[in-house]
Amino acid sequence: MENNSFKDEFKTIKMKLLIVTQKVDINDDVLGFMHGWIAEFAKNCEQVTVICLKQGQFDLPHNVKILSLGKEHISQKSKVHQPASLREALLAGKVKSKLKYTFNFYKYIWQEKKNYNHVWVHMNPEYILLGGLFWRLMGKKISLWYAHGQATWKLRMAEKIVNIIFTSTNSGCRIKSKKIKIIGQGIDIKNYELRIKNYELEKNNNFKIVTVGRISPVKDYETLIKAVELLNKAGMKLQVDIIGGAGLPEQKKYLVSLEKMVQDKELGDVVNFIGPVPNKNIVKHLQSSDLFVNMSHTGSLDKAIAEAMSCGLPILTCNEALEEVLGNYEEMLMYNKGDYCALADKIKFIAEMDINKKIKLGKDLREIIVKNHSLEGFIINIISAIQRLK
């Protein structure tokens, strides 16, 4: 990853940037962080134009323009109308909505063509497939941020079109390409401040575990619940907060199965399903916890892990992307996917760790984020790389 030695040149070199992303909403539980990313881009750009699928609440600098494809209006209408034939209405509604989004997308990229010279697409390579040819013909430089373990055909196609692909770690973009540039995650370390817990004062309290992420099978919450069952039977006093929402029908079914699992294992007083929490409010949950656990099988550096580390919160994870992040702490803080016995052992180890060692662990984890994954450095690295494109 590059350092921040290019910072001074942005005082005189400014760019006009188009950002394409799913949602701009400071209150969103999953994508709320994009609000901070856009604001940081605005500090270093003359103008930032954002095309988003859905718009919510935002408070951004004067040089930021938000253009929504209109999903927020479709969502509101669907709550009001109760169609006679739900299946037919849904199919018709989806086709109509996609046509509207596509029309608005092309309208905006043409309408705003003089207001941007670089394009930065967040996570969705389909926008590259839609707009890439037009951007190329108009002489725009194109970049993509992609951080996920899955390498889709859309990503492979988009790679042929873009000038550069930014990702968080080696495992964040699993295709072979000379266009890939690793720059870490973008964590606003001012918002996720280090908190040194008073372990002596709190040693008689329940050991509090928190995990954050959407309620989806790929997040493997069963492994955590099984580990907690072992520890609970062994007499360990625990509180487990699962933070995240279930948006899709299959995710809601999964949540029901998890709730049943918790009840069957008589863990109703231990495991709490908090539901979705706006990203901006996650920090208070992290700072009041003793341990962050991540069971995800996505294979890329999860922002929630980095946010926990930034707070100085000990973490445990099975995510292979952390192998290149944790350094000397890899063996201590990682376990094999699905191995709930190993996870239980490591939870017990962290809970019983010497207070001074635990404080040092927290400080060291935060330092990893400050050094390699701060939002300021993240944005500077993106802009410096874009400006060097020929």
Side-chain angles (χ1 to χ4, degrees), residues 138-301:
M138 289 189 289
K140 313 297 185 184
K141 299 299 183 182
I142 311 168
S143 58
L144 170 68
W145 165 262
Y146 191 87
H148 197 282
Q150 186 178 10
T152 66
W153 68 267
K154 293 178 183 179
L155 173 64
R156 296 181 189 279
M157 291 290 291
E159 187 272 341
K160 308 298 181 186
I161 302 171
V162 301
N163 299 95
I164 189 168
I165 298 175
F166 297 104
T167 191
S168 55
T169 61
N170 280 311
S171 47
C173 188
R174 300 186 183 189
I175 58 173
K176 291 184 179 180
S177 175
K178 293 181 180 179
K179 296 178 180 180
I180 295 174
K181 190 172 189 61
I182 299 169
I183 60 169
Q185 267 288 0
I187 306 300
D188 192 342
I189 55 177
K190 299 186 298 297
N191 292 338
Y192 295 91
E193 294 181 350
L194 176 68
R195 176 181 179 245
I196 303 299
K197 291 174 67 69
N198 189 330
Y199 291 107
E200 286 290 354
L201 182 66
E202 300 179 10
K203 64 183 178 181
N204 293 322
N205 294 348
N206 291 351
F207 186 76
K208 186 176 178 182
I209 298 171
V210 65
T211 185
V212 180
R214 69 185 187 278
I215 304 299
S216 173
V218 75
K219 299 296 186 179
D220 189 16
Y221 289 100
E222 293 93 338
T223 293
L224 175 59
I225 294 169
K226 290 175 183 177
V228 169
E229 179 188 24
L230 291 179
L231 295 169
N232 187 63
K233 287 182 177 179
M236 187 173 177
K237 296 166 61 179
L238 291 165
Q239 176 185 334
V240 181
D241 288 348
I242 297 175
I243 299 175
L248 301 174
E250 57 267 30
Q251 293 173 346
K252 292 177 182 178
K253 290 180 181 178
Y254 179 59
L255 174 58
V256 171
S257 71
L258 292 177
E259 291 172 334
K260 184 177 185 303
M261 184 180 185
V262 167
Q263 294 305 318
D264 290 346
K265 294 182 180 299
E266 299 181 348
L267 296 172
D269 294 333
V270 177
V271 178
N272 307 301
F273 292 93
I274 305 298
V277 172
N279 181 259
K280 65 180 183 177
N281 296 335
I282 287 293
V283 63
K284 64 183 181 182
H285 292 274
L286 298 175
Q287 291 181 337
S288 65
S289 299
D290 299 295
L291 175 67
F292 181 95
V293 179
N294 173 266
M295 306 76 58
S296 176
H297 295 189
T298 58
S300 62
L301 177 55

Side-chain angles (χ1 to χ4, degrees), residues 2 4 8 18 23 28 42 87 92 95 140 148 182 193-194 264 270 285 297 324 329 333 358 371 388:
E2 295 182 16
N4 294 348
D8 289 340
L18 171 65
K23 186 184 291 188
D28 192 72
R87 183 175 181 276
V95 172
K140 313 297 185 184
H148 197 282
I182 299 169
E193 294 181 350
L194 176 68
D264 290 346
V270 177
H285 292 274
H297 295 189
E324 56 190 286
Y329 285 113
L333 301 179
K358 196 177 294 187
K371 184 178 179 181
R388 283 163 174 71

Side-chain angles (χ1 to χ4, degrees), residues 98-114:
K98 287 184 177 180
L99 288 173
K100 178 183 177 182
Y101 303 154
T102 304
F103 173 80
N104 286 340
F105 177 74
Y106 285 121
K107 180 180 73 171
Y108 292 148
I109 65 174
W110 177 255
Q111 167 187 298
E112 299 295 322
K113 62 184 183 296
K114 294 183 179 180

